[in-house]
Amino acid sequence: MSAKSEVEMLNKHPAETEIGLNSRIRHTELELLHALLQSIDYGVLVSGLDRQDIIANRKLSQLFGINAQEVVNTDPDSVRAYAISRVKNKEAFVSLLERAYADPLLSSTDEIELEGEPQVILRRFTAPVYDKTGNPTARLWTFLDITETKALRSKLEEQLDHAAGELLAAQKKAVEMEKLSTAGLLAAGIAHDIRNILSAMQIDLHSLPPEMANTVQDHLIRFSTLTHRLLAFSRPGMVERRPQSVNEIIEGVLSLIRANAELHGVTIHLDLATDLPSITADFGQMEQLFVNLCLNSLQAMDGNGGTLIIRTRRVRDWIEVKFEDTGTGIAPEILGRLFDPFFTTRCNGIGLGLCSCKRIVEDHGGEILAENSMKNGAVFTIMLPAMLFPEE
Ligand SMILES: Nc1ncnc2c1ncn2[C@@H]1O[C@H](COP(=O)(O)OP(=O)(O)O)[C@@H](O)[C@H]1O
Ligand SMILES: [Mg+2]
Protein backbone atom coordinates (compact mmCIF):
# COMPACT_ATOMS: atom_id res chain seq x y z
CA MET A 1 0.00 0.00 0.00
CA SER A 2 1.40 3.40 -0.93
CA ALA A 3 2.26 6.05 1.62
CA LYS A 4 -0.49 8.16 0.14
CA SER A 5 -3.24 5.65 0.92
CA GLU A 6 -1.81 4.89 4.36
CA VAL A 7 -2.16 8.48 5.24
CA GLU A 8 -5.57 8.75 3.71
CA MET A 9 -6.76 5.84 5.80
CA LEU A 10 -5.19 7.12 8.95
CA ASN A 11 -6.45 10.61 8.45
CA LYS A 12 -10.03 9.69 7.92
CA HIS A 13 -12.47 9.90 10.69
CA PRO A 14 -13.46 6.36 11.72
CA ALA A 15 -17.03 7.00 10.56
CA GLU A 16 -15.87 7.60 7.01
CA THR A 17 -13.91 4.38 6.72
CA GLU A 18 -16.77 2.31 8.10
CA ILE A 19 -18.74 2.38 4.89
CA GLY A 20 -18.94 -1.17 3.59
CA LEU A 21 -16.65 -2.56 6.31
CA ASN A 22 -17.46 -4.02 9.63
CA SER A 23 -15.64 -2.31 12.43
CA ARG A 24 -13.47 -5.37 13.14
CA ILE A 25 -11.99 -5.32 9.65
CA ARG A 26 -11.56 -1.57 9.80
CA HIS A 27 -9.87 -1.87 13.14
CA THR A 28 -7.47 -4.57 11.92
CA GLU A 29 -6.71 -2.61 8.82
CA LEU A 30 -5.92 0.52 10.76
CA GLU A 31 -3.75 -1.44 13.14
CA LEU A 32 -1.92 -2.95 10.23
CA LEU A 33 -1.36 0.42 8.68
CA HIS A 34 -0.16 1.77 11.95
CA ALA A 35 2.23 -1.15 12.41
CA LEU A 36 3.50 -0.72 8.88
CA LEU A 37 4.11 2.97 9.37
CA GLN A 38 5.99 2.28 12.59
CA SER A 39 8.13 -0.47 11.12
CA ILE A 40 9.27 1.07 7.84
CA ASP A 41 12.74 2.40 7.46
CA TYR A 42 11.55 5.87 6.43
CA GLY A 43 10.87 8.68 8.85
CA VAL A 44 7.32 9.76 7.95
CA LEU A 45 5.54 12.98 8.75
CA VAL A 46 2.16 14.08 7.47
CA SER A 47 0.97 17.58 8.06
CA GLY A 48 -2.18 19.42 7.09
CA LEU A 49 -2.14 22.25 4.62
CA ASP A 50 -2.34 24.51 7.68
CA ARG A 51 1.10 23.06 8.60
CA GLN A 52 -0.28 21.31 11.67
CA ASP A 53 1.47 17.93 11.99
CA ILE A 54 -0.92 15.00 11.96
CA ILE A 55 1.19 11.84 11.92
CA ALA A 56 4.79 11.12 12.77
CA ASN A 57 6.30 7.66 13.03
CA ARG A 58 8.93 6.12 15.25
CA LYS A 59 11.72 6.31 12.66
CA LEU A 60 11.22 10.07 12.37
CA SER A 61 11.65 10.33 16.14
CA GLN A 62 14.86 8.32 15.92
CA LEU A 63 16.29 10.37 13.08
CA PHE A 64 15.58 13.77 14.62
CA GLY A 65 15.70 12.78 18.30
CA ILE A 66 12.20 13.96 19.10
CA ASN A 67 9.26 11.93 20.34
CA ALA A 68 6.65 11.19 17.62
CA GLN A 69 3.78 12.02 19.96
CA GLU A 70 5.40 15.35 20.77
CA VAL A 71 5.70 16.15 17.09
CA VAL A 72 1.98 15.74 16.66
CA ASN A 73 0.93 17.43 19.89
CA THR A 74 3.38 20.32 20.07
CA ASP A 75 2.88 23.52 18.13
CA PRO A 76 4.36 22.96 14.63
CA ASP A 77 6.58 26.04 14.66
CA SER A 78 8.53 24.86 17.67
CA VAL A 79 8.83 21.33 16.20
CA ARG A 80 10.19 22.85 13.01
CA ALA A 81 12.52 25.16 14.92
CA TYR A 82 13.87 22.09 16.66
CA ALA A 83 14.28 20.19 13.37
CA ILE A 84 16.05 23.20 11.85
CA SER A 85 18.45 23.28 14.79
CA ARG A 86 19.35 19.65 14.01
CA VAL A 87 20.35 20.15 10.36
CA LYS A 88 23.56 21.57 8.93
CA ASN A 89 22.37 23.57 5.93
CA LYS A 90 19.47 25.37 7.57
CA GLU A 91 18.77 27.67 4.64
CA ALA A 92 18.21 24.81 2.19
CA PHE A 93 16.14 22.95 4.79
CA VAL A 94 13.81 25.91 5.35
CA SER A 95 13.69 26.77 1.68
CA LEU A 96 11.99 23.50 0.70
CA LEU A 97 9.63 23.78 3.70
CA GLU A 98 8.54 27.24 2.58
CA ARG A 99 8.15 26.23 -1.05
CA ALA A 100 6.18 23.12 -0.13
CA TYR A 101 3.66 24.96 2.04
CA ALA A 102 3.35 27.79 -0.47
CA ASP A 103 2.56 25.36 -3.30
CA PRO A 104 0.21 22.52 -2.25
CA LEU A 105 0.99 20.62 -5.49
CA LEU A 106 4.79 20.62 -5.13
CA SER A 107 6.71 17.35 -5.12
CA SER A 108 10.41 17.53 -4.42
CA THR A 109 13.37 15.70 -3.03
CA ASP A 110 16.74 16.75 -1.63
CA GLU A 111 19.50 15.64 0.69
CA ILE A 112 20.08 17.01 4.14
CA GLU A 113 22.92 16.49 6.53
CA LEU A 114 22.39 16.41 10.29
CA GLU A 115 24.53 18.31 12.77
CA GLY A 116 27.09 16.38 14.80
CA GLU A 117 29.15 13.21 14.49
CA PRO A 118 29.05 10.65 13.02
CA GLN A 119 27.87 12.05 9.73
CA VAL A 120 24.20 11.35 8.91
CA ILE A 121 22.74 12.19 5.50
CA LEU A 122 19.01 11.95 4.89
CA ARG A 123 17.11 11.96 1.62
CA ARG A 124 14.06 14.15 2.16
CA PHE A 125 11.00 13.74 -0.04
CA THR A 126 7.77 15.65 -0.01
CA ALA A 127 4.56 15.32 -2.01
CA PRO A 128 0.93 16.32 -1.68
CA VAL A 129 -1.64 13.88 -0.27
CA TYR A 130 -4.82 13.98 -2.35
CA ASP A 131 -8.40 13.36 -1.36
CA LYS A 132 -10.90 11.27 -3.35
CA THR A 133 -11.73 14.15 -5.64
CA GLY A 134 -8.05 14.73 -6.45
CA ASN A 135 -7.54 17.84 -4.34
CA PRO A 136 -4.49 18.14 -2.08
CA THR A 137 -5.56 17.75 1.55
CA ALA A 138 -2.26 17.23 3.34
CA ARG A 139 1.47 17.03 2.80
CA LEU A 140 3.66 13.95 3.15
CA TRP A 141 7.30 14.16 4.20
CA THR A 142 9.63 11.17 4.25
CA PHE A 143 13.23 10.97 5.43
CA LEU A 144 15.55 8.11 4.55
CA ASP A 145 18.99 7.62 6.04
CA ILE A 146 21.29 7.29 3.01
CA THR A 147 24.61 7.77 4.83
CA GLU A 148 25.78 4.23 4.17
CA THR A 149 24.53 4.11 0.60
CA LYS A 150 26.31 7.36 -0.10
CA ALA A 151 29.52 6.20 1.52
CA LEU A 152 29.34 2.99 -0.45
CA ARG A 153 28.69 4.89 -3.65
CA SER A 154 31.56 7.28 -3.15
CA LYS A 155 33.81 4.33 -2.31
CA LEU A 156 32.70 2.62 -5.49
CA GLU A 157 33.21 5.81 -7.45
CA GLU A 158 36.66 6.15 -5.97
CA GLN A 159 37.48 2.59 -6.97
CA LEU A 160 36.08 3.20 -10.42
CA ASP A 161 38.15 6.38 -10.80
CA HIS A 162 41.20 4.50 -9.68
CA ALA A 163 40.54 1.66 -12.15
CA ALA A 164 39.92 4.16 -14.95
CA GLY A 165 43.19 5.90 -14.08
CA GLU A 166 45.06 2.62 -14.19
CA LEU A 167 43.47 1.74 -17.50
CA LEU A 168 44.49 5.08 -18.95
CA ALA A 169 48.05 4.62 -17.72
CA ALA A 170 48.14 1.11 -19.18
CA GLN A 171 46.81 2.40 -22.48
CA LYS A 172 49.43 5.15 -22.55
CA LYS A 173 52.12 2.63 -21.79
CA ALA A 174 50.86 0.32 -24.52
CA VAL A 175 50.93 3.15 -27.05
CA GLU A 176 54.48 4.00 -25.99
CA MET A 177 55.41 0.34 -26.31
CA GLU A 178 54.00 0.29 -29.82
CA LYS A 179 56.05 3.30 -30.73
CA LEU A 180 59.13 1.77 -29.19
CA SER A 181 58.57 -1.49 -31.02
CA THR A 182 58.13 0.44 -34.28
CA ALA A 183 61.34 2.30 -33.52
CA GLY A 184 62.94 -1.06 -32.79
CA LEU A 185 61.87 -2.38 -36.19
CA LEU A 186 63.20 0.72 -37.88
CA ALA A 187 66.42 0.37 -35.93
CA ALA A 188 66.90 -3.16 -37.26
CA GLY A 189 66.84 -1.82 -40.81
CA ILE A 190 68.90 1.19 -39.95
CA ALA A 191 71.50 -0.93 -38.15
CA HIS A 192 71.81 -2.90 -41.37
CA ASP A 193 72.28 0.32 -43.26
CA ILE A 194 74.84 1.53 -40.78
CA ARG A 195 76.78 -1.72 -41.11
CA ASN A 196 76.87 -1.17 -44.84
CA ILE A 197 78.03 2.38 -44.35
CA LEU A 198 80.73 1.32 -41.90
CA SER A 199 82.00 -1.49 -44.08
CA ALA A 200 82.13 0.92 -47.00
CA MET A 201 84.07 3.29 -44.79
CA GLN A 202 86.54 0.57 -43.86
CA ILE A 203 87.40 0.04 -47.48
CA ASP A 204 87.60 3.77 -47.88
CA LEU A 205 89.91 4.15 -44.92
CA HIS A 206 92.34 1.52 -46.16
CA SER A 207 93.15 3.25 -49.36
CA LEU A 208 92.06 6.80 -48.75
CA PRO A 209 92.78 8.34 -52.11
CA PRO A 210 91.81 11.98 -51.92
CA GLU A 211 88.87 11.53 -54.27
CA MET A 212 87.36 9.05 -51.77
CA ALA A 213 87.36 11.56 -48.95
CA ASN A 214 84.07 13.00 -50.18
CA THR A 215 82.46 9.57 -50.23
CA VAL A 216 83.54 8.93 -46.64
CA GLN A 217 82.06 12.23 -45.65
CA ASP A 218 78.81 11.43 -47.49
CA HIS A 219 78.57 8.16 -45.60
CA LEU A 220 79.17 9.87 -42.31
CA ILE A 221 76.46 12.42 -43.02
CA ARG A 222 74.06 9.67 -43.99
CA PHE A 223 74.92 7.80 -40.81
CA SER A 224 74.26 10.78 -38.55
CA THR A 225 71.07 11.75 -40.43
CA LEU A 226 69.70 8.27 -39.96
CA THR A 227 70.45 8.10 -36.26
CA HIS A 228 69.00 11.56 -35.76
CA ARG A 229 65.83 10.68 -37.64
CA LEU A 230 65.45 7.50 -35.62
CA LEU A 231 65.90 9.34 -32.34
CA ALA A 232 63.45 12.03 -33.40
CA PHE A 233 60.92 9.38 -34.33
CA SER A 234 61.21 7.56 -30.98
CA ARG A 235 60.92 10.68 -28.87
CA PRO A 236 57.38 11.49 -27.77
CA GLY A 237 56.98 15.00 -29.11
CA MET A 238 54.58 17.84 -28.41
CA VAL A 239 51.62 17.76 -30.73
CA GLU A 240 51.74 20.83 -32.91
CA ARG A 241 49.68 21.39 -36.02
CA ARG A 242 51.19 23.32 -38.86
CA PRO A 243 50.81 23.44 -42.62
CA GLN A 244 52.64 20.40 -43.96
CA SER A 245 53.34 18.90 -47.33
CA VAL A 246 52.19 15.28 -47.40
CA ASN A 247 54.69 14.50 -50.17
CA GLU A 248 57.59 15.84 -48.13
CA ILE A 249 56.58 13.80 -45.08
CA ILE A 250 56.37 10.67 -47.24
CA GLU A 251 59.79 11.33 -48.76
CA GLY A 252 61.21 11.76 -45.26
CA VAL A 253 59.59 8.52 -44.10
CA LEU A 254 61.15 6.78 -47.05
CA SER A 255 64.62 7.52 -45.73
CA LEU A 256 63.64 5.79 -42.48
CA ILE A 257 62.05 2.82 -44.17
CA ARG A 258 64.34 2.20 -47.13
CA ALA A 259 66.78 0.00 -45.24
CA ASN A 260 63.94 -2.15 -43.96
CA ALA A 261 62.51 -2.44 -47.45
CA GLU A 262 65.85 -3.66 -48.72
CA LEU A 263 65.96 -6.22 -45.93
CA HIS A 264 62.54 -7.48 -46.98
CA GLY A 265 63.47 -7.39 -50.66
CA VAL A 266 60.69 -4.87 -51.27
CA THR A 267 60.77 -2.15 -53.90
CA ILE A 268 59.04 1.09 -53.01
CA HIS A 269 57.50 3.23 -55.74
CA LEU A 270 56.34 6.75 -55.15
CA ASP A 271 53.58 8.18 -57.28
CA LEU A 272 53.14 11.62 -55.77
CA ALA A 273 50.90 14.28 -57.29
CA THR A 274 52.52 17.61 -57.86
CA ASP A 275 50.79 20.82 -56.77
CA LEU A 276 49.15 19.09 -53.86
CA PRO A 277 47.59 21.50 -51.34
CA SER A 278 49.08 21.39 -47.84
CA ILE A 279 47.40 19.81 -44.85
CA THR A 280 47.27 21.11 -41.29
CA ALA A 281 48.96 18.40 -39.30
CA ASP A 282 51.37 17.40 -36.61
CA PHE A 283 54.57 16.33 -38.34
CA GLY A 284 55.49 13.64 -35.79
CA GLN A 285 52.05 12.04 -35.88
CA MET A 286 51.95 11.99 -39.69
CA GLU A 287 55.38 10.42 -39.73
CA GLN A 288 54.22 7.79 -37.23
CA LEU A 289 51.12 7.11 -39.33
CA PHE A 290 53.06 6.57 -42.56
CA VAL A 291 55.86 4.57 -40.91
CA ASN A 292 53.28 2.23 -39.34
CA LEU A 293 51.54 1.63 -42.66
CA CYS A 294 54.85 1.07 -44.47
CA LEU A 295 56.10 -1.37 -41.82
CA ASN A 296 52.82 -3.30 -41.92
CA SER A 297 53.15 -3.61 -45.69
CA LEU A 298 56.76 -4.77 -45.43
CA GLN A 299 55.73 -7.34 -42.83
CA ALA A 300 52.90 -8.56 -45.07
CA MET A 301 55.45 -9.15 -47.85
CA ASP A 302 57.92 -10.76 -45.48
CA GLY A 303 60.64 -12.77 -47.16
CA ASN A 304 58.97 -12.97 -50.54
CA GLY A 305 59.78 -9.52 -51.78
CA GLY A 306 57.20 -7.41 -53.53
CA THR A 307 56.23 -3.85 -54.25
CA LEU A 308 54.84 -1.06 -52.14
CA ILE A 309 53.35 1.83 -54.04
CA ILE A 310 52.62 5.06 -52.21
CA ARG A 311 50.34 7.42 -54.12
CA THR A 312 49.07 10.87 -53.30
CA ARG A 313 46.46 12.88 -55.16
CA ARG A 314 43.87 15.54 -54.58
CA VAL A 315 40.24 14.45 -54.54
CA ARG A 316 38.06 17.56 -54.32
CA ASP A 317 38.81 19.10 -50.89
CA TRP A 318 40.78 16.09 -49.70
CA ILE A 319 44.28 14.74 -49.99
CA GLU A 320 44.20 11.04 -50.68
CA VAL A 321 47.20 8.90 -49.67
CA LYS A 322 47.25 5.25 -50.72
CA PHE A 323 49.59 2.49 -49.56
CA GLU A 324 49.23 -0.45 -51.91
CA ASP A 325 51.31 -3.59 -51.39
CA THR A 326 51.63 -7.01 -52.97
CA GLY A 327 51.63 -8.86 -49.64
CA THR A 328 49.32 -11.45 -48.17
CA GLY A 329 46.24 -9.25 -48.34
CA ILE A 330 43.65 -9.22 -45.56
CA ALA A 331 41.29 -12.12 -44.88
CA PRO A 332 37.71 -10.82 -45.30
CA GLU A 333 36.68 -12.02 -41.83
CA ILE A 334 39.24 -9.78 -40.09
CA LEU A 335 38.75 -6.67 -42.25
CA GLY A 336 36.32 -5.23 -39.70
CA ARG A 337 38.67 -5.74 -36.75
CA LEU A 338 41.99 -4.43 -38.09
CA PHE A 339 41.69 -1.09 -36.31
CA ASP A 340 40.63 -2.55 -32.96
CA PRO A 341 43.16 -2.08 -30.18
CA PHE A 342 45.35 -5.16 -29.65
CA PHE A 343 44.08 -6.91 -32.77
CA THR A 344 47.02 -8.67 -34.37
CA THR A 345 47.62 -11.80 -36.45
CA ARG A 346 51.38 -11.60 -36.09
CA CYS A 347 52.94 -13.75 -33.36
CA ASN A 348 55.09 -10.86 -32.11
CA GLY A 349 52.61 -8.14 -32.99
CA ILE A 350 51.09 -5.78 -30.44
CA GLY A 351 48.06 -4.78 -32.47
CA LEU A 352 48.19 -1.07 -31.72
CA GLY A 353 49.70 0.18 -34.96
CA LEU A 354 46.50 0.52 -36.96
CA CYS A 355 44.56 1.59 -33.88
CA SER A 356 46.90 4.55 -33.42
CA CYS A 357 46.84 5.22 -37.19
CA LYS A 358 43.07 5.53 -37.02
CA ARG A 359 43.25 7.81 -33.99
CA ILE A 360 45.81 10.05 -35.69
CA VAL A 361 43.82 10.26 -38.93
CA GLU A 362 40.56 10.97 -37.11
CA ASP A 363 42.25 13.57 -34.88
CA HIS A 364 43.17 15.32 -38.11
CA GLY A 365 39.58 15.23 -39.36
CA GLY A 366 40.24 12.43 -41.82
CA GLU A 367 39.37 8.83 -42.53
CA ILE A 368 41.27 5.61 -43.06
CA LEU A 369 40.08 2.56 -44.97
CA ALA A 370 41.53 -0.92 -45.43
CA GLU A 371 40.70 -3.18 -48.38
CA ASN A 372 42.24 -5.76 -50.66
CA SER A 373 43.77 -4.78 -53.97
CA MET A 374 43.18 -6.44 -57.32
CA LYS A 375 46.69 -7.87 -57.05
CA ASN A 376 45.82 -9.76 -53.82
CA GLY A 377 47.70 -7.36 -51.60
CA ALA A 378 46.29 -4.79 -49.20
CA VAL A 379 45.44 -1.14 -49.83
CA PHE A 380 45.19 1.40 -47.05
CA THR A 381 43.59 4.67 -48.09
CA ILE A 382 43.78 7.81 -46.02
CA MET A 383 41.76 10.92 -46.70
CA LEU A 384 42.94 14.11 -45.03
CA PRO A 385 41.28 17.52 -45.35
CA ALA A 386 43.24 19.76 -47.72
CA MET A 387 44.20 23.21 -46.52
CA LEU A 388 42.50 25.27 -49.17
CA PHE A 389 43.11 28.69 -47.70
CA PRO A 390 46.71 28.68 -46.53
CA GLU A 391 47.18 30.66 -43.34
CA GLU A 392 49.27 33.78 -43.48
N1 LIG B 1 49.46 -4.27 -45.28
C1 LIG B 1 48.85 -5.29 -44.63
N2 LIG B 1 48.59 -6.45 -45.26
C2 LIG B 1 47.99 -7.47 -44.63
N3 LIG B 1 47.55 -7.42 -43.34
C3 LIG B 1 47.78 -6.29 -42.66
C4 LIG B 1 48.43 -5.17 -43.26
N4 LIG B 1 48.50 -4.19 -42.34
C5 LIG B 1 47.93 -4.69 -41.22
N5 LIG B 1 47.50 -5.93 -41.40
C6 LIG B 1 46.82 -6.80 -40.42
O1 LIG B 1 46.35 -5.97 -39.37
C7 LIG B 1 46.84 -6.46 -38.12
C8 LIG B 1 46.97 -5.30 -37.16
O2 LIG B 1 48.02 -4.44 -37.56
P1 LIG B 1 48.65 -3.47 -36.48
O3 LIG B 1 47.55 -2.75 -35.78
O4 LIG B 1 49.68 -2.65 -37.14
O5 LIG B 1 49.27 -4.44 -35.41
P2 LIG B 1 50.55 -5.37 -35.53
O6 LIG B 1 51.37 -4.85 -36.66
O7 LIG B 1 51.22 -5.25 -34.21
O8 LIG B 1 50.02 -6.75 -35.80
C9 LIG B 1 48.10 -7.18 -38.46
O9 LIG B 1 48.43 -8.14 -37.47
C10 LIG B 1 47.75 -7.82 -39.79
O10 LIG B 1 46.97 -8.98 -39.61
MG1 LIG C 1 51.80 -2.90 -37.17
Side-chain angles (χ1 to χ4, degrees), residues 178 296 299 346 353:
E178 217 290 324
N296 276 352
Q299 284 157 352
R346 297 190 298 109

XYZ file of all heavy atoms in Angstrom, residues 178 296 299 346 353, ligand 2:
42
model
N 54.179 0.458 -28.379
C 54.001 0.292 -29.821
C 55.021 1.150 -30.549
O 55.685 0.709 -31.475
C 52.587 0.718 -30.214
C 51.946 -0.111 -31.294
C 52.550 0.062 -32.664
O 52.965 1.175 -33.031
O 52.591 -0.952 -33.391
N 53.824 -2.231 -41.782
C 52.819 -3.296 -41.917
C 52.901 -3.930 -43.307
O 52.827 -5.147 -43.449
C 51.411 -2.738 -41.702
C 51.056 -2.662 -40.224
O 51.794 -3.151 -39.376
N 49.918 -2.047 -39.922
N 55.933 -6.083 -43.565
C 55.731 -7.338 -42.829
C 54.816 -8.289 -43.593
O 54.998 -9.509 -43.550
C 55.143 -7.049 -41.438
C 56.196 -6.518 -40.482
C 55.613 -5.723 -39.328
O 54.420 -5.428 -39.298
N 56.455 -5.371 -38.381
N 49.957 -11.274 -36.074
C 51.379 -11.603 -36.089
C 51.788 -12.095 -34.708
O 51.356 -11.534 -33.695
C 52.190 -10.379 -36.487
C 51.864 -9.927 -37.898
C 52.809 -8.886 -38.420
N 52.786 -7.665 -37.650
C 53.753 -7.273 -36.860
N 54.846 -8.002 -36.725
N 53.662 -6.136 -36.199
N 49.252 -0.672 -33.853
C 49.702 0.180 -34.960
C 48.533 0.819 -35.693
O 48.434 2.043 -35.779
Mg 51.800 -2.903 -37.168
